[in-house]
Amino acid sequence: MGILRRVISFPTGDDLEAVGAGFAQLSGSPALSRAVGAIDGCHIRIKPPANNSHCYFDRKLFHSVQLQAITDHRGKFLDVFVGYPGSVHDARVLRNSPVYAGGLYPPAGKCILGDGGYPCLSAPICLITPYREPVQNPVQARFNSKHSRARSIVERAFGMLKTRWRCIFFKALEVSPAFVPEVVACCAVLHNLALANGDIVEPEDEEDHDDGPPDAHNLAARVGEHVPDNLAAAVFAPNIPVPALHEHDYL
């Protein structure tokens, strides 16, 4: 547990600003420097357990345990939460995770990015999701494009994790569901250590994200739906000031 907390932790200070700059570079928009993480869920295949096996049967038609992760712009894991059965919706896993319950991350004024399977939230954490398709205007379309480019790093991280340990993630994990969190957490720690030492692998299997609607039972699903609007406007604005706009006083 000690090494887990040292290797998988949230950035602060200058490191936090570097993560924001990294997401701005990934997205191609300075407006997304406010983003300091990307969140998604990944299904870890397991053998059908003896008890309550139906709870572990997921939408991909196999038995699994959920891994929820937040990564930085390089694919480093900042937080992992493992153990919920595969049939549980990503939004419900989030709602029951420590990062949500304790409002642990991101800090005030920052946000994390998630796909359409999550609710857009302003509290207890700031989570920005894309606009629902079909989008209503070019502002929303551009925002979704930039958002996707930045957020996909978490899917890439899952792909790298699976590629590093093919014998674990490309077949059913032959341990009790109770021990899956320990196995996956160890792999996440080793992944971060590998990245820190420049050992980067090309993912062979990137997770296919689910842009379906948020969990119908998630009462917080609509909180913060207005949050992306100002950010979308900032994304749509030109990155380079247009001189003509400063030649006259339009106010």
Side-chain angles (χ1 to χ4, degrees):
M1 183 61 72
I3 191 172
L4 176 72
R5 291 176 177 172
R6 291 197 304 272
V7 177
I8 301 178
S9 60
F10 296 121
T12 57
D14 291 342
D15 289 339
L16 188 70
E17 296 306 313
V19 173
F23 274 102
Q25 184 174 16
L26 283 177
S27 68
S29 171
L32 283 176
S33 62
R34 179 183 169 187
V36 290
I39 187 171
D40 203 358
C42 174
H43 291 268
I44 310 300
R45 189 188 295 261
I46 63 170
K47 295 283 189 179
N51 299 318
N52 301 315
S53 63
H54 64 283
C55 295
Y56 294 86
F57 196 68
D58 62 33
R59 63 180 175 81
K60 297 184 177 183
L61 306 181
F62 58 76
H63 294 83
S64 67
V65 166
Q66 287 264 40
L67 159 63
Q68 175 187 282
I70 300 174
T71 72
D72 70 5
H73 60 292
R74 299 167 299 171
K76 175 186 175 182
F77 292 112
L78 305 180
D79 181 72
V80 292
F81 179 60
V82 196
Y84 266 75
S87 64
V88 180
H89 194 282
D90 286 355
R92 182 162 292 190
V93 176
L94 169 65
R95 188 173 58 180
N96 288 279
S97 65
V99 70
Y100 178 94
L104 303 180
Y105 193 77
K110 304 294 185 180
C111 67
I112 57 177
L113 307 176
D115 67 23
Y118 290 104
C120 192
L121 300 169
S122 57
I125 64 174
C126 187
L127 170 59
I128 305 297
T129 59
Y131 287 99
R132 297 289 180 204
E133 298 288 348
V135 294
Q136 303 301 309
N137 52 59
V139 174
Q140 294 184 0
R142 183 176 176 85
F143 175 78
N144 279 8
S145 174
K146 299 293 187 181
H147 181 285
S148 178
R149 288 173 60 181
R151 179 190 50 75
S152 62
I153 186 62
V154 64
E155 296 163 16
R156 184 173 177 81
F158 289 146
M160 287 191 286
L161 191 72
K162 291 180 177 182
T163 300
R164 288 187 191 280
W165 292 282
R166 298 177 59 87
C167 62
I168 293 178
F169 295 109
F170 279 96
K171 64 178 183 178
L173 195 57
E174 297 187 20
V175 300
S176 165
F179 293 108
V180 172
E182 294 183 23
V183 174
V184 175
C186 286
C187 291
V189 166
L190 293 172
H191 167 84
N192 279 7
L193 291 175
L195 284 184
N197 285 279
D199 181 8
I200 301 173
V201 298
E202 288 300 319
E204 296 179 14
D205 177 44
E206 296 189 29
E207 190 76 1
D208 61 319
H209 61 275
D210 178 10
D211 284 333
D215 184 355
H217 296 95
N218 188 349
L219 299 181
R222 289 191 167 273
V223 176
E225 282 192 342
H226 64 286
V227 173
D229 292 340
N230 288 339
L231 193 56
V235 168
F236 194 73
N239 293 340
I240 302 174
V242 179
L245 297 179
H246 300 280
E247 292 178 358
H248 302 282
D249 184 0
Y250 293 99
L251 300 179

